[in-house]
């Protein structure tokens, strides 16, 4: 990213848009999987013989891949905010952002993945309070994971769609769509002046998420069709 700032700052917006498109695709793929519209390919998926450890490993790999893209997007956005600063300042700021993102994102993923193991360990202890907390953790984890899954899908569609809309407006490729969304959001917020800012933000975020999900579904459809054509 430091090299990008020094030698190719013009590539920042296209790279952001590429990452945004990937987030939209991931959101659509995960939502389609939840709806049972497609199944993962491969021998394990076909035989249904994958163990819980293999399933956990697949979940972790998918989360790390998506978090890696999100982290890169955060760094690219930070780089865009550091425009016209000395290169040493940009490098120092990006290192700080990278360390913070790594600690927060991957720390949260590791904690969530191991939360059920923590609950089981607490449930086996002699202390009554620890056992009660452990049982509650074990019971709550499936519901928490389901909630986080839906929230993660919505967040990916929202972030990806928002980045793409911003890129369309900034590059002038198709500025009409983001301008139209801004207009709709402002119109929805106008009846409530006191809450206008919050309503406008929520409305635009919803529109960006819907746009991101639709675009992701289109990308997923095209990629699946391309894969089928290659196999034939």
């Amino acid at each position: 990213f430091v090299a990008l700032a020094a030698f190719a700052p013009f590539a920042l917006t296209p790279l952001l848009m590429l990452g945004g498109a990937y987030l939209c695709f991931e959101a659509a793929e995960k939502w389609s999987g939840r709806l049972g519209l497609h199944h993962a390919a491969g021998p394990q998926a076909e035989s249904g013989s994958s163990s819980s450890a293999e399933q956990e490993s697949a979940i972790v790999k998918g989360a790390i891949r998506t978090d890696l893209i999100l982290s890169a997007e955060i760094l690219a956005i930070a780089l865009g905010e550091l425009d016209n600063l000395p290169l040493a300042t940009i490098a120092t700021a990006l290192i700080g952002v990278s360390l913070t993102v790594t600690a927060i994102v991957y720390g949260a993923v590791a904690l969530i993945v191991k939360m059920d193991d923590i609950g089981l360990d607490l449930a086996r202890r002699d202390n009554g309070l620890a056992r009660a907390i452990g049982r509650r953790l074990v019971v709550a984890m499936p519901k928490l994971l389901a909630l986080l899954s839906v929230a993660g899908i919505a967040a990916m569609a929202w972030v990806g769609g928002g980045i793409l809309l911003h890129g369309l407006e900034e590059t002038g490729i198709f500025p009409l769509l983001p301008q139209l969304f801004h207009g709709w959001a402002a119109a929805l917020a106008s009846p409530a002046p006191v809450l206008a800012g919050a309503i406008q933000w929520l409305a635009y975020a919803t529109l960006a998420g819907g746009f991101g999900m639709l675009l992701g579904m289109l990308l997923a459809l095209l990629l699946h069709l391309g894969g089928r054509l290659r196999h034939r």
Side-chain angles (χ1 to χ4, degrees):
F1 282 100
V2 176
L4 186 66
F7 302 110
F10 56 87
L12 180 59
T13 299
L15 286 175
L16 276 170
M17 294 178 71
L18 185 62
Y22 176 81
L23 291 176
C24 294
F25 167 75
E26 276 288 295
E29 281 282 274
K30 292 180 184 300
W31 187 245
S32 297
R34 286 184 64 87
L35 296 178
L37 298 179
H38 68 81
H39 301 279
Q44 287 182 342
E46 290 174 1
S47 64
S49 60
S50 58
S51 65
S52 59
E54 290 168 338
Q55 290 174 356
E56 181 176 296
S57 176
I59 291 171
V60 171
K61 287 179 181 178
I64 290 174
R65 184 176 62 250
T66 302
D67 288 339
L68 181 63
I69 298 296
L70 279 171
S71 301
E73 293 289 277
I74 292 170
L75 286 176
I77 291 170
L79 180 58
E81 296 297 322
L82 298 171
D83 195 19
N84 298 324
L85 290 177
L87 195 59
T89 303
I90 293 175
T92 303
L94 289 181
I95 290 171
V97 172
S98 300
L99 293 174
T100 303
V101 168
T102 300
I104 294 175
V105 173
Y106 295 105
V109 170
L111 181 62
I112 291 170
V113 168
K114 292 301 179 183
M115 191 65 73
D116 54 347
D117 294 333
I118 295 171
L120 286 172
D121 181 68
L122 289 173
R124 295 190 184 104
R125 297 192 179 184
D126 296 331
N127 185 284
L129 179 60
R131 287 201 306 272
I133 293 174
R135 292 192 192 101
R136 287 180 181 273
L137 280 176
V138 172
V139 171
M141 276 311 295
K143 297 176 182 178
L144 176 61
L145 288 174
L147 178 62
L148 289 175
S149 176
V150 174
I153 291 170
M156 283 191 290
W158 164 50
V159 173
I163 288 171
L164 285 168
L165 288 170
H166 178 74
L168 291 175
E169 193 169 20
E170 186 170 316
T171 58
I173 295 174
F174 189 58
L176 180 61
L177 185 61
Q179 290 170 5
L180 186 64
F181 283 1
H182 279 299
W184 287 349
L188 287 171
S190 60
V194 177
L195 301 173
I199 294 174
Q200 187 169 347
W201 179 88
L202 181 61
Y204 188 80
T206 303
L207 291 169
F211 167 73
M213 184 62 74
L214 288 174
L215 179 64
M217 288 181 176
L218 177 60
L219 290 173
L221 178 62
L222 291 174
L223 286 173
H224 285 302
L225 288 176
R228 290 178 183 176
L229 289 175
R230 282 198 302 271
H231 286 308
R232 290 179 183 177

